Amino acid sequence: MNHISGSDQSTLPTSPPSDQRGALSRRRLLAGAAGGIAVVAAGQPAWAADATRPGAVRGPSLAVRDRQVVQGIRPSRALADLRVLSERIGPRIGGTASEKAAAEFALTSLRSAGCRDVRLEPFAVADKFLADIGDPDGQLPDDICWQAGASPDAGLDAPPVTGRVVDVKAATAPAWPADPAAVTGAVVLADDAQDADAATRVNLRAAFVLEAQRRGAAAVVLLPADLAYPRRASASSPRLVPTTGSTPPPWTAVATIPVLGVAQVQKRLLREDLAVRPLRLTIGTTSHRGLTSHNVLADIPGRAGAGAPLVYVSGHYDSVIGAPGANDDGSGTVLTLELARVLNRLRKSDATVRLALWGSEEQGLIGSRHHVAQLSAADRGRIRGVFQNDMVGTSWSPATRYWQLSFSGTGNATTEQVTAAAERLGYDPQISPVTQRGASDHQSFQEVGIASANFSWRGEETPALLEPPYHSPEDTIEKNISMDRLTVSMELIGCAAYALAQ
């Protein structure tokens, strides 16, 4: 563990980190109050303690400790935190400067909340390859993120290139312009190869890129296949060299021009604009190598002292390429930070409450698995439960069910306490039964027998019904956050965790 002393306190940079500065300085995400954001008075609770919550079937019946929790929650603080994470920092890609900026912001917030033993837990992660799509003529919408993935097998780290856009349709059967000069210096758009065999797809893609380069293209932008609603394809770093097994070969420079993989919403906007007028783009790519990601940890000590039981409240603070990550998982991050402020001001519980923000979840639960692996058998035995919060604030209308997701499919102390808190808050019909599902950091704990569950607002029929902005450039506050749902999540987890800690 990397314990951060008081003399090492970090503050958030006044400008976005270098791997995000180009995208965010030009593509500043809007800061209005549309898209499901409730108006929240600064420094005030969202509603009276005994008021019926939005969507609840009845008024609450609060225990004394519940009332202390809900009266301490300030949605305005959580919203301010979320603006820093998703707008000021933007996409927080595991191990890059943007993720580190978010970790430093969380460290400062947890110290300010009065938590003890605030620290970073470092671990190595894979290289990343990112791209910035610039719009020199200001034609494209500026209310989404324009970061994309860059191919590690093509041009990287060179000065940005600007060129007119030429759409040749399918990469497997390109419609090259009759005039060869039309491709010279152009940014070529093409639907990515869709062959069912992965190795064949990579080979077809590489052949297309090399032909575009031979014709004089300045860059290639590969467009994903549309997914079935409500899913939308995410940005990616397309490979031009087939990989074998679980260990990819060393990066091989197949092409010298930049090659990008964009998200489905970016694809739609690019083609819509190009259909009505000429379009120019500026393309820049950056490689990030030798990376270290971090978990952010802090404690609110319990009465039982050094050997006290542990109750975790957690979320993951990284996001995927091209996604500002307002809901996934900025919402779980700010829930954790706000409950740190609230619970630290209440009467000490028997257990120590541990606030945990996991790094590099999106790469395969790397941060939480690293943390669990570092725990001694004795420390694992101290854990009463882990409340993992992943996507707890979406404004998507069909996401009316609050899901209790267990990797094992069975309930435990966390789901029992959330179910009980939901009944006291008047939310019992909105709470799912315990449902089997992994794919978030609760899985890392349940794999070794530690009580844990993930809590999340999703569609009524199945937890697979995630909102359209999921892993998308549209995962912004204005397009994908309901402060009502986020506040209810803070109340449910705050009441449940405080009860379990008693």
Side-chain angles (χ1 to χ4, degrees):
M1 289 186 180
N2 179 22
H3 293 261
I4 306 298
S5 67
S7 62
D8 294 327
Q9 290 188 16
S10 302
T11 57
L12 186 69
T14 57
S15 60
S18 59
D19 54 309
Q20 300 301 321
R21 192 171 296 133
L24 293 182
S25 62
R26 184 182 56 79
R27 293 287 170 203
R28 181 72 179 178
L29 301 180
L30 299 182
I37 297 180
V39 176
V40 180
Q44 297 298 321
W47 38 67
D50 294 314
T52 301
R53 272 65 176 163
V57 295
R58 53 179 167 74
S61 178
L62 301 178
V64 172
R65 60 174 173 258
D66 296 330
R67 188 177 299 276
Q68 293 171 337
V69 170
V70 302
Q71 288 179 332
I73 290 171
R74 296 294 181 266
S76 58
R77 293 186 301 215
L79 180 57
D81 289 345
L82 195 52
R83 292 207 181 280
V84 172
L85 291 170
S86 64
E87 296 177 356
R88 187 170 167 186
I89 297 174
R92 303 171 296 280
I93 314 306
T96 67
S98 59
E99 193 199 46
K100 184 62 182 302
E104 290 172 346
F105 172 70
L107 284 170
T108 300
S109 299
L110 291 167
R111 289 193 188 98
S112 297
C115 296
R116 308 288 289 276
D117 198 15
V118 182
R119 59 204 185 272
L120 291 178
E121 187 175 68
F123 51 93
V125 292
D127 299 342
K128 305 297 187 301
F129 304 92
L130 306 179
D132 176 39
I133 301 175
D135 175 19
D137 301 316
Q139 295 177 195
L140 297 173
D142 63 357
D143 61 345
I144 70 162
C145 177
W146 285 93
Q147 184 190 71
S151 172
D153 308 313
L156 291 166
D157 301 316
V161 297
T162 299
R164 64 193 179 284
V165 175
V166 174
D167 189 350
V168 300
K169 309 306 179 185
T172 50
W176 296 110
D179 180 5
V183 179
T184 302
V187 175
V188 173
L189 263 60
D191 294 308
D192 198 6
Q194 299 302 321
D195 192 278
D197 177 78
T200 302
R201 182 168 62 250
V202 171
N203 288 330
L204 290 170
R205 180 188 296 147
F208 168 74
V209 167
L210 288 174
E211 178 61 17
Q213 180 173 288
R214 187 189 70 80
R215 289 171 177 260
V220 169
V221 177
L222 296 171
L223 310 176
D226 291 349
L227 301 183
Y229 182 85
R231 293 281 56 77
R232 294 177 184 167
S234 304
S236 65
S237 296
R239 291 306 309 265
L240 305 180
V241 178
T243 59
T244 56
S246 60
T247 304
W251 306 123
T252 303
V254 172
T256 58
I257 62 174
V259 177
L260 278 59
V262 300
Q264 181 174 328
V265 64
Q266 295 167 330
K267 162 189 168 179
R268 175 178 62 81
L269 294 171
L270 288 169
R271 279 196 163 148
E272 284 179 353
D273 195 85
L274 191 60
V276 297
R277 56 189 172 180
L279 175 65
R280 292 193 308 149
L281 296 178
T282 298
I283 304 295
T285 59
T286 310
S287 62
H288 304 267
R289 305 177 191 267
L291 301 180
T292 299
S293 182
H294 299 85
N295 296 322
V296 184
L297 302 165
D299 291 345
I300 301 173
R303 292 189 302 270
L310 293 169
V311 172
Y312 282 63
V313 176
S314 63
H316 74 85
Y317 70 98
D318 65 312
S319 69
V320 301
I321 296 173
N327 191 42
D328 186 16
D329 185 29
S331 60
T333 299
V334 302
L335 176 151
T336 302
L337 295 177
E338 179 60 13
L339 290 184
R341 299 178 184 111
V342 173
L343 297 178
N344 194 58
R345 295 172 182 170
L346 302 183
R347 179 178 175 270
K348 279 191 175 183
S349 55
D350 175 59
T352 290
V353 176
R354 177 160 293 167
L355 298 312
L357 295 172
W358 312 117
S360 296
E361 185 267 359
E362 299 290 3
Q363 299 168 54
L365 316 182
I366 298 177
S368 56
R369 282 187 169 143
H370 173 81
H371 177 76
V372 171
Q374 306 309 304
L375 294 173
S376 66
D379 282 341
R380 291 183 184 184
R382 293 169 57 202
I383 301 175
R384 288 181 179 174
V386 179
F387 296 86
Q388 170 68 12
N389 303 277
D390 196 346
M391 304 171 63
V392 293
T394 181
S395 58
W396 189 45
S397 296
T400 54
R401 173 153 288 197
Y402 187 76
W403 286 88
Q404 303 187 90
L405 304 175
S406 164
F407 178 62
S408 66
T410 57
N412 55 53
T414 63
T415 57
E416 291 168 4
Q417 290 293 348
V418 168
T419 298
E423 184 174 357
R424 299 194 300 274
L425 286 163
Y427 265 97
D428 20 333
Q430 280 76 20
I431 305 300
S432 80
V434 177
T435 302
Q436 186 171 21
R437 192 176 180 90
S440 190
D441 293 299
H442 64 299
Q443 178 175 338
S444 302
F445 290 88
Q446 286 194 284
E447 286 173 339
V448 298
I450 297 172
S452 180
N454 181 46
F455 303 94
S456 179
W457 289 102
R458 305 183 183 204
E460 184 75 22
E461 295 83 8
T462 166
L465 276 178
L466 301 174
E467 70 270 16
Y470 168 71
H471 281 190
S472 160
E474 293 188 303
D475 188 7
T476 66
I477 294 174
E478 281 66 41
K479 293 181 181 292
N480 197 29
I481 289 294
S482 160
M483 285 307 298
D484 284 347
R485 284 185 182 146
L486 178 54
T487 301
V488 170
S489 298
M490 291 191 289
E491 292 189 339
L492 287 167
I493 298 300
C495 292
Y498 194 43
L500 184 59
Q502 297 308 306

